[in-house]
Every structure is written in C-alpha cells, then in structure tokens.
Amino acid sequence: MISLGTLFAFGVVSLGMVCSPGPNMIYLISRSIAQGRKAGIISLLGVMLGFGVYLIASMLGLIAIFNTVPIIYTAMKWAGAAYLFWLAWKMIKPGSTTILEPTALPMEKPKKLFLMGFITNLLNPKIAVLYISLLPQFQNPEKGSLLAQGAILGLTQILISFTVNLLIVLTASKIANWFGKRPTWLKAQRWIMSGVLAGLAVKLAVQRR
C-alpha cells in the first residue's frame, strides 16, 4: 500500500494546488462575501461533489480504457504534460496577475448554490487533467492495487481541499484583503507553484505506462 512518505508528498502537492488561486477559490470567496458563510459552505459542498465525480471516473473508467487502448493513455499523458507546462507558464508569464477581488453576485437559493459550486468544479479543465496527470505520479503497481491507491490519494486530496476551502469560506473577507495588500507574496507563490507544475510535467512526460 502507499507509504507514509508518498502520502505526505502527495499531501504537500495537493495543499500547494488548493492554495493556488483558481476558479474554485475565487467563486467561494465571491459567494461567501456576497451572500454569507452559509451560502459559501453550501457552494463548497457542490465543489466537493465535483471532486468525487472526477475521482470515481479516474479510478474506474479511465483505468479500464487505458489498459484496453494504450494509445489513449499516451495521448492523455502528453496532453496532461502539455497542460501542466501551460499552467506553469501562465503563472509566471509577463503581465500575469492573480485576480482575487470578488465580484457582485445575485442572491441564490441553496439548491442553486450547490449546483453552481458543482458545475464550477466539474467544468474546470484544470481539475480533470490534474486528476489524470497528478495521481499516477504517486502510484506504484508494486505497492498493491492501483484502484485502492487511487482511492486513498483521491480522498486525501478531497480532504485537504475541503479543509482549506472551508477555512477560505469562513475567512473570505480577510483573505481578499490579505491578498490585495501583499503583491510580493503572490509573485513568490506563483513562481513556487510554477516550478512544482513544471517538475510534474517533466516527470509525467518521461514516465512509462
């Protein structure tokens, strides 16, 4: 089974990913400020369901497809590596910025909040590609069932994401002000995460099926 060292390393990478500003973080901050913490928490539950869908799909459907048609894995591997490189470049390219200023949002009912959180995560291509390209970096066929390893890694990522995003929802106003007053930290954070993404892209590109 997965070693504690591997699980810790995956946890660190997952933490870095969730702390990197993206559509989920921006939506949760905006929704929490516009409609309150309760609305933010309901939206967060929808976001978590989106993670669950990607986890189940990556564990069951994708593994079977890759084993049956290896060329699909090869294509996805290169697509994943290219996307990770693109994310790394996007973070540090000239003129890159991180927009965390919340926008005005209309008041919505709980059901719609949940669905909007779910769709925000489900339609985020970054999540789809990262579940395909990130999890395999930490799996080892010699350590037992890849299905079980994928479940452990996926649930670890979901737990970390839920914890961090819950803190974001509860402290949305303070976070928006904190980011706005610290452009130097944002720049350092972008370079660090860019290096992590580039490293994962290289590892993905050279690994065998």
Side-chain angles (χ1 to χ4, degrees), residues 54-173:
Y54 275 120
L55 172 60
I56 293 173
S58 65
M59 287 170 54
L60 301 179
L62 291 177
I63 291 177
I65 293 174
F66 290 160
N67 285 334
T68 304
V69 189
I71 193 173
I72 295 180
Y73 171 81
T74 302
M76 290 302 299
K77 182 184 77 168
W78 286 107
Y83 188 75
L84 289 172
F85 271 124
W86 180 77
L87 288 176
W89 167 244
K90 187 178 179 181
M91 286 187 174
I92 60 173
K93 69 179 181 180
S96 63
T97 57
T98 302
I99 303 174
L100 284 176
E101 187 154 346
T103 57
L105 298 174
M107 297 295 175
E108 303 290 357
K109 294 181 179 180
K111 182 178 180 180
K112 189 169 183 179
L113 289 171
F114 182 87
L115 288 175
M116 289 173 67
F118 173 68
I119 293 173
T120 297
N121 198 18
L122 196 65
L123 298 183
N124 184 355
K126 170 183 170 182
I127 304 302
V129 175
L130 289 182
Y131 256 87
I132 295 171
S133 61
L134 185 60
L135 264 68
Q137 312 287 330
F138 298 89
Q139 291 177 297
N140 186 346
E142 298 178 357
K143 297 293 184 178
S145 170
L146 291 177
L147 196 64
Q149 292 181 54
I152 293 173
L153 292 171
L155 291 174
T156 298
Q157 186 272 332
I158 291 174
L159 177 61
I160 291 173
S161 180
F162 176 79
T163 302
V164 173
N165 282 310
L166 179 60
L167 291 175
I168 288 173
V169 167
L170 297 178
T171 59
S173 297

Side-chain angles (χ1 to χ4, degrees), residues 26-41:
I26 293 173
Y27 173 72
L28 291 173
I29 289 177
S30 300
R31 179 56 66 186
S32 298
I33 293 176
Q35 199 168 338
R37 292 179 176 177
K38 182 177 179 180
I41 292 174

